[in-house]
């Protein structure tokens, strides 16, 4: 039997679960279900990444022993995921004992093979990323220190004894791997990105810390703990029995490794396609077959982040949307591999259009007609006229086509296209029903044969679609299966064993089950209003945690620090300035705000400043204001000025000391 091993990243327990985590896990679940249904001996792994200085600090802040703190967050993840019908075979935790044993064994193998050595490391370290940055990569903070390019918080200068991994020795082997195995990194655009990074040269990597206590001690040198990424990446082999007796150990590991599909977000691609294969090469182990980097869910066009307050809350999602609706939306809406914007409006529209009016409606109209016109028994196909028979055959062919396309696309992880194929078969049968008008046939004295053919064809389409769609819609397809009067688990029916007409072979007297709505239509406006209320309640709860200690004076609406941090203010330098034709008040500037290209910004200060005198001046720019057009010109930010007197004379804000362009104000 062919095997299939699929993994997700293991999630950091330093933040709470959100839609992004759910997404990767549900993609992996769909793939695992899809493979199982097609006869693969499948192993599906997910889990949590629980070591590192951040987690130690978070526990300290919470006043809890670290293990107790992480147990709480792991539970939160498991609870948040529990209503999505995930079928993971295991949940790995990096604090599990068997994992620690496996990590140490991997370390020892790499060391014996000469790829780990002891040295001294000095560099700029971000404790949020758990990564060192080169000075060139870091941003300058206003006080002259360096900022993490991701978190925009000061980097720590760390000098310590450290173990190093000889990553530099693997540059050629990695390039050869990418070239000879085009499927190792997918999609293609990501592969090119990684190849150019590796071509740029690889430095040896520090893989231990003496400053971090909450980690796995280095074998024979317990002053050091193993770098969290080394620890975390190893989970993919330790969880299936490498270096320990988990699931029987070695034999189980050998059965499933190498992984067939490692799903990751594009944010952690480099770790999985440069470090991870190099570690495995260094230990003499096989390499995963495919690392697939999917895109990110954005919210309001921006990366989801707690600071911006735009994270999609899983509790809200679960309150208003059925399991299958969320699963379907995530797979259908986002082109796998690209970024996608998440909005509740789009989710509601998809559910209503594709699930309520599509699959749900097909199920209820077909079953209701079987109940009303055929006494609840799915009829055998009747001997209808040639034209109707041709149309019924076309429906059958459309279903066969949907099966072929669905598999072809899912094998390539093109989920959204696979689903489109199923929905086009649905559209075909809908048209067949509408054209044949079974409600009229039922009234005609000689319409019985035609009616039977229509309802047989519709029921068979439904039965086939239930089998096809079970990896994506596990709950509703089972409901459809039971309402059709079928027994057992639809997920256990292999598509290859399905036969058209199978339902009429269920034996005389077999009846459909009780008809219940599968996807009730959602009232968009009402639900959107409720969601907004829930979101502002949770926003208020969050704000209350940071509530100011003074009462607002009359006339002052206090904001909290989160509100303030939503406005991005940066130092800019005016590079060019010119009047705008036919606009007395406007000047058009290009301003260097520390980005590769200067921004074009318009300001209504022409009556008070001569443009040429402003060149070289340092100003404060709001850099995250949505661009807008003024007199046909796009303004990509706002320059701050005091507004004086009744006429509102502008006085540009500036600095008395030297400041670098792009420095953030906070
Ligand atoms: O990086 N859209 O953990 P993490 C889509 N512990 N997916 C998203 C997402 C978004 N907006 N946000 C997060 C870590 N994800 C490490 C991994 S693996 C050996 C160690 C998903 O909790 C996506 O899969 O930050 C991303 O790669 C992962 O969560 C990052 O999870």
């Amino acid at each position: 039997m062919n095997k299939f091993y699929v993994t997700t990243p293991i999630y950091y327990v330093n933040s709470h679960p959100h839609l992004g985590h759910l997404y990767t896990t549900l993609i992996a679940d769909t793939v695992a279900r899809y493979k199982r249904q097609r006869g693969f001996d499948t192993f599906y792994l997910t889990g949590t990444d629980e070591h590192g200085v951040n987690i130690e600090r978070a526990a300290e802040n919470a006043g809890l022993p670290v293990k107790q703190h992480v147990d709480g967050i792991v539970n939160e993840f498991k609870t948040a995921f529990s209503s999505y019908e995930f079928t993971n075979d295991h949940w790995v935790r990096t604090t599990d004992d068997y994992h620690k044993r496996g990590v140490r064994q991997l370390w020892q193998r790499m060391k014996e093979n000469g790829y780990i050595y002891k040295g001294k490391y000095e560099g700029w370290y971000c404790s949020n990323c758990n990564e060192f940055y080169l000075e060139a990569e870091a941003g300058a903070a206003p006080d002259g220190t360096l900022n993490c390019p991701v978190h925009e918080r000061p980097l720590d200068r760390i000098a310590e004894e450290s173990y190093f991994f000889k990553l530099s020795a693997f540059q050629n082997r990695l390039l050869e791997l990418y070239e000879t195995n085009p499927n190792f990194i997918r999609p293609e655009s990501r592969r090119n990105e990684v190849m150019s990074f590796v071509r740029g040269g690889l430095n040896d990597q520090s893989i231990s810390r003496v400053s971090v206590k909450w980690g796995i001690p280095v074998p024979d040198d317990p002053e050091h703990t193993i770098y969290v990424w080394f620890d975390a990446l190893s989970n993919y082999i330790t969880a299936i029995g490498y270096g320990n007796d988990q699931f029987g150990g070695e034999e189980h590991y050998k059965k499933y490794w190498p992984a067939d599909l490692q799903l990751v977000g594009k944010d952690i691609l480099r770790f999985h396609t440069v470090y991870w294969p190099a570690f495995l090469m260094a230990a003499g182990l096989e390499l995963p077959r495919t690392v697939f980097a999917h895109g990110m869910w954005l919210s309001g066009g921006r990366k989801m982040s707690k600071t911006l307050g735009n994270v999609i809350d899983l509790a809200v999602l679960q309150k208003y949307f059925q399991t299958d609706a969320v699963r379907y939306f995530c797979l259908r809406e986002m082109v796998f591999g690209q970024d996608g914007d998440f909005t509740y409006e789009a989710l509601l529209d998809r559910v209503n259009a594709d699930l309520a009016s599509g699959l749900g409606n097909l199920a209820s109209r077909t079953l209701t007609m079987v109940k009303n016109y055929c006494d609840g028994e799915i009829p055998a196909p009747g001997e209808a006229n040639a034209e109707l028979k041709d149309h019924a055959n076309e429906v059958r062919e459309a279903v066969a086509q949907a099966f072929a396309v669905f598999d072809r696309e899912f094998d390539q992880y093109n989920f959204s296209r696979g689903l489109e194929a199923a929905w086009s078969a649905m559209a075909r049968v809908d048209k067949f029903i509408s054209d044949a008008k079974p409600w009229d046939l039922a009234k005609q004295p000689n319409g019985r044969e035609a009616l039977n053919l229509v309802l047989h064809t519709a029921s068979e389409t439904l039965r086939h679609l239930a089998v096809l769609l079970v990896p994506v819609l596990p709950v509703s397809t089972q409901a459809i299966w039971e309402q059709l009067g079928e027994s057992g688990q639809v997920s256990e029916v292999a598509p290859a064993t399905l036969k058209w007409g199978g339902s009429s072979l269920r034996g005389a007297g077999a009846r459909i089950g009780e008809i219940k709505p599968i996807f009730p239509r959602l009232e968009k406006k009402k639900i959107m209003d409720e969601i907004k209320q829930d979101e502002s309640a949770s926003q208020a709860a969050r704000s209350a945690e940071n509530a100011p200690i003074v009462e607002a004076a009359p006339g002052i609406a206090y904001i909290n620090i989160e509100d303030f941090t939503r406005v991005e203010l940066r130092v800019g330098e005016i590079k060019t300035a010119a009047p705008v034709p036919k606009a007395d008040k406007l000047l058009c500037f290009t301003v260097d705000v520390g980005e590769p290209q200067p921004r074009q910004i318009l300001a209504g200060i022409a009556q008070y400043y001569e443009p040429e005198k402003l060149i070289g001046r340092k100003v404060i720019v709001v850099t995250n204001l949505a661009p807008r057009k003024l007199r046909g010109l796009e303004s990509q930010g706002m320059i701050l000025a005091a507004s004086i007197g009744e006429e509102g004379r502008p006085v540009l804000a500036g600095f008395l000391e030297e400041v670098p362009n792009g420095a953030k104000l906070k």
Side-chain angles (χ1 to χ4, degrees), residues 349-368:
D349 288 344
R350 272 260 174 240
V351 172
N352 281 338
D354 296 4
L355 298 178
S357 305
L359 183 59
N361 187 45
L362 175 64
S364 71
R365 77 199 290 213
T366 303
L367 289 161
T368 307

Side-chain angles (χ1 to χ4, degrees), residues 317-537:
L317 204 59
Q318 199 199 329
K319 179 167 166 195
Y320 295 100
F321 300 94
Q322 290 170 246
T323 299
D324 282 1
V326 175
R327 292 179 65 110
Y328 176 75
F329 178 78
C330 285
L331 283 144
R332 178 69 183 77
E333 190 78 3
M334 172 118 93
V335 176
F336 195 56
Q338 295 175 16
D339 288 348
D341 203 36
F342 182 95
T343 63
Y344 285 111
E345 284 90 344
L347 171 54
L348 282 158
D349 288 344
R350 272 260 174 240
V351 172
N352 281 338
D354 296 4
L355 298 178
S357 305
L359 183 59
N361 187 45
L362 175 64
S364 71
R365 77 199 290 213
T366 303
L367 289 161
T368 307
M369 286 191 286
V370 169
K371 181 173 166 219
N372 292 345
Y373 306 144
C374 306
D375 205 18
E377 222 172 277
I378 294 171
E383 268 306 319
N385 66 42
E387 194 188 347
L388 193 68
K389 267 195 189 156
D390 280 352
H391 288 164
N393 280 337
E394 279 169 28
V395 171
R396 190 173 161 173
E397 273 160 28
V399 173
Q401 175 75 1
F403 270 66
V405 176
F406 186 93
D407 275 31
R408 190 183 73 214
E409 298 295 349
F410 266 52
D411 283 340
Q412 292 304 315
Y413 312 123
N414 291 325
F415 306 110
S416 118
R417 275 199 241 143
L419 288 169
E420 265 171 39
W423 257 256
S424 56
M426 226 175 275
R428 185 66 196 83
V429 75
D430 270 338
K431 183 170 181 320
F432 175 65
I433 298 171
S434 308
D435 290 350
K437 300 192 179 54
W439 41 91
D440 285 347
L441 294 172
K443 288 184 215 141
Q444 292 164 13
N446 52 358
R448 172 57 51 186
E449 291 286 308
L451 178 68
N452 285 355
L453 179 60
V454 175
L455 293 186
H456 176 84
T457 306
S459 308
E460 276 304 275
T461 304
L462 201 54
R463 194 171 69 95
H464 276 65
L465 288 176
V467 172
L468 186 66
L469 294 173
V470 69
V472 180
L473 307 172
V475 181
S476 47
T477 50
Q478 182 63 29
I480 292 173
W481 191 246
E482 286 166 17
Q483 293 187 31
L484 280 167
E486 299 287 338
S487 55
Q489 293 298 310
V490 61
S491 56
E492 285 167 15
V493 179
T497 63
L498 259 188
K499 281 203 181 61
W500 193 266
S503 65
S504 60
L505 303 175
R506 287 179 301 142
R511 304 177 73 80
I512 59 168
E514 190 190 341
I515 306 173
K516 291 189 205 133
I518 309 279
F519 290 108
R521 217 180 153 71
L522 301 175
E523 280 180 59
K524 188 169 175 187
K525 165 130 187 18
K526 177 170 169 280
I527 294 183
M528 278 313 296
D529 288 348
E530 286 176 26
I531 290 176
K532 279 187 190 131
Q533 271 177 21
D534 283 356
E535 285 191 320
S536 49

Side-chain angles (χ1 to χ4, degrees), residues 9-12 18 20-21 23-24 49 229 232-233 235-236 265 267-268 272 294-297:
I10 50 170
Y11 307 111
Y12 275 137
H18 63 69
H21 305 123
Y23 178 63
T24 321
D49 185 357
W229 270 102
L233 288 163
N235 91 85
Y236 301 127
D267 53 335
I268 52 174
H272 284 81
H294 63 68
M296 294 311 218
W297 279 108

